[in-house]
Amino acid sequence: MSMNKGLIIILWMIVCFVGFGCYGPNRAEASDLRYGAALRQNVLLFRRPAGTSGAVMPDHVFGISQSTLRVYEDANWRTIALSTAVETRMNFFSSGSGMFGLTGGGGSIFGSGKPLERWDATFDHVEENTASMQTRLERLDLSWSLGSYDFHAGRQPVSLGTSHFIGVLDVVAPFAPGDLDATYKPGVDALRIRRPVGMKGEAEVIAIGGRPWEYGALLGRFRSSVKGIDLELVGGRFRKRGFGGIGWEGGVGDYGIWGELALFERKKNEEAWRGGWSEAAFSGVAGVDFNLPSKIKMGGALMFQDFGVRDPGDLAFVYQDAPFREGWAFLASAGYGLVTLHRQLHPLVNADCAGLINLVDGSTLWQPMLTVSAGNNADISLYGWIGAGEKNTVRADGITMRSEFGSLPTGAGFYARWFF
């Protein structure tokens, strides 16, 4: 075990000792101490795509099970607050599931995002072909106020943008589109300084550590509200790349509107130029939500990104570009349409469906989901995904991709959460 990991364990033990020791057996009655646990379980099965039988992929059905236990404790001492959380994940999967990047079990077919991290606070207990178990320090965050300034230091969640099904601004610790296990944002090692501006505004400076340091992030953010629309301006550097953007979300009459626009400095030696401006890549998404008869809420959005391909024949190569390798970009083509549907079938039952339409190759991906509330502190979801489009072809010299979603495996899963 490295010295850094040993130091993290010691810090965690001190935090728990202080928190439980100061309050003793009556800590549950203390208004300034909160503690608990969350258990999440995901089980999914998916079948082999058409055209990949035989030696390429001998199994017909693949499966994944992921169990996640999170333990947390938050304590407040006057103007100082300390938040801590440790999360253990256990994965069991068939060996072939790794061919699709699904070994994480988060419910997304696009893999998992890679959060920025300065200190290695992940402890591997089991690492085998079909099983893994690891524990990660997800939060160790000290916050305090000094005059009109608020400070947060340590491992903490950092979210940028509007947090919709797809986005372009959340580059620090993003969730992949369709990720069901998005209950908690992964923690990053950061220092944040925030202060109010005017009656409705807020300015913030965020410094995030990376390995090495220059691969971290230094960001400035300003948030405010104008006529019922929440606005966010953000800019700076991350992973040795400059960027800036704007996000908005709010209501206009009977409609809800949201969107994000951003420009990213190009890394010319690490990614191919596929269109647009040669010095900076544009990414943007804009959407609207509205109500239909029969208590149905519908949403639609359009997305464009210069990082994506304009020709389906380039799909096999785009995943080697820096945004995809670094884990903050997931969709491989230049243009998409998004459709979302929501209906409450019962006070305890909700039905949802999200659909992605690839505007370059015509393929589609649908993710239906039915969620049932099992109590005040539990819910259960049944979900699936269905892809359609031109199928990939397998030849002696490899696989030729003809569409992004056409040869994705069809699958179904079960996701449950319990909070204690």
Side-chain angles (χ1 to χ4, degrees), residues 36-87:
L39 178 63
R40 289 118 68 199
Q41 176 65 51
N42 189 30
V43 178
L44 62 94
L45 296 173
F46 55 99
R47 67 184 185 185
R48 180 183 64 200
T52 56
S53 59
V56 176
M57 201 172 294
D59 295 336
H60 291 273
V61 179
F62 307 92
I64 298 172
S65 172
Q66 182 182 85
S67 303
T68 306
L69 175 63
R70 184 185 184 97
V71 180
Y72 69 87
E73 181 177 356
D74 301 331
N76 294 283
W77 295 275
R78 296 182 180 177
T79 61
I80 301 175
L82 180 64
S83 299
T84 63
V86 167
E87 190 167 280

Side-chain angles (χ1 to χ4, degrees), residues 26-316:
N26 295 321
R27 61 184 181 274
E29 301 175 2
S31 61
D32 51 0
L33 182 70
R34 186 172 64 93
Y35 61 95
L39 178 63
R40 289 118 68 199
Q41 176 65 51
N42 189 30
V43 178
L44 62 94
L45 296 173
F46 55 99
R47 67 184 185 185
R48 180 183 64 200
T52 56
S53 59
V56 176
M57 201 172 294
D59 295 336
H60 291 273
V61 179
F62 307 92
I64 298 172
S65 172
Q66 182 182 85
S67 303
T68 306
L69 175 63
R70 184 185 184 97
V71 180
Y72 69 87
E73 181 177 356
D74 301 331
N76 294 283
W77 295 275
R78 296 182 180 177
T79 61
I80 301 175
L82 180 64
S83 299
T84 63
V86 167
E87 190 167 280
T88 297
R89 294 194 174 195
M90 295 164 284
N91 294 304
F92 300 94
F93 40 83
S94 59
S95 58
S97 62
M99 297 180 183
F100 304 101
L102 291 169
T103 54
S108 171
I109 63 170
F110 300 102
S112 301
K114 299 177 183 178
L116 287 171
E117 186 177 67
R118 172 55 190 168
W119 290 282
D120 183 4
T122 300
F123 312 94
D124 294 315
H125 311 298
V126 177
E127 190 65 44
E128 299 179 355
N129 290 334
T130 58
S132 67
M133 179 178 178
Q134 62 178 212
T135 297
R136 184 175 189 264
L137 179 67
E138 284 291 352
R139 191 159 187 181
L140 185 58
D141 172 30
L142 184 67
S143 60
W144 68 97
S145 298
L146 186 62
S148 60
Y149 291 88
D150 294 328
F151 298 83
H152 290 262
R155 178 154 293 186
Q156 57 188 285
V158 175
S159 292
L160 306 174
T162 59
S163 300
H164 281 258
F165 191 89
I166 53 177
V168 299
L169 287 178
D170 199 15
V171 296
V172 171
F175 289 122
D179 196 334
L180 298 179
D181 198 9
T183 308
Y184 298 101
K185 174 77 81 169
V188 296
D189 304 313
L191 170 65
R192 301 167 64 182
I193 305 174
R194 185 172 58 242
R195 65 156 297 169
V197 177
M199 296 295 294
K200 299 181 179 180
E202 178 183 83
E204 184 175 16
V205 175
I206 309 171
I208 303 171
R211 285 201 305 267
W213 280 106
E214 56 266 28
Y215 279 87
L218 181 61
L219 310 173
R221 177 164 65 177
F222 174 76
R223 290 183 288 190
S224 188
S225 179
V226 179
K227 295 183 179 181
I229 306 296
D230 294 329
L231 298 175
E232 175 178 347
L233 296 173
V234 60
R237 294 187 65 82
F238 75 102
R239 299 183 187 271
K240 301 182 72 174
R241 183 196 301 268
F243 91 112
I246 181 173
W248 65 91
E249 184 172 18
V252 177
D254 296 331
Y255 296 89
I257 61 172
W258 62 274
E260 301 173 14
L261 303 175
L263 278 177
F264 298 90
E265 178 186 355
R266 290 189 184 273
K267 294 182 177 180
K268 298 181 180 180
N269 58 336
E270 296 186 44
E271 58 204 33
W273 178 76
R274 304 184 184 280
W277 187 22
S278 61
E279 299 299 322
F282 170 79
S283 294
V285 59
V288 60
D289 301 318
F290 50 91
N291 294 316
L292 294 176
S294 302
K295 300 181 180 179
I296 297 175
K297 184 176 182 179
M298 182 176 182
L302 290 174
M303 178 183 181
F304 178 83
Q305 56 178 357
D306 280 333
F307 291 121
V309 303
R310 277 73 168 170
D311 182 346
D314 294 331
L315 284 169

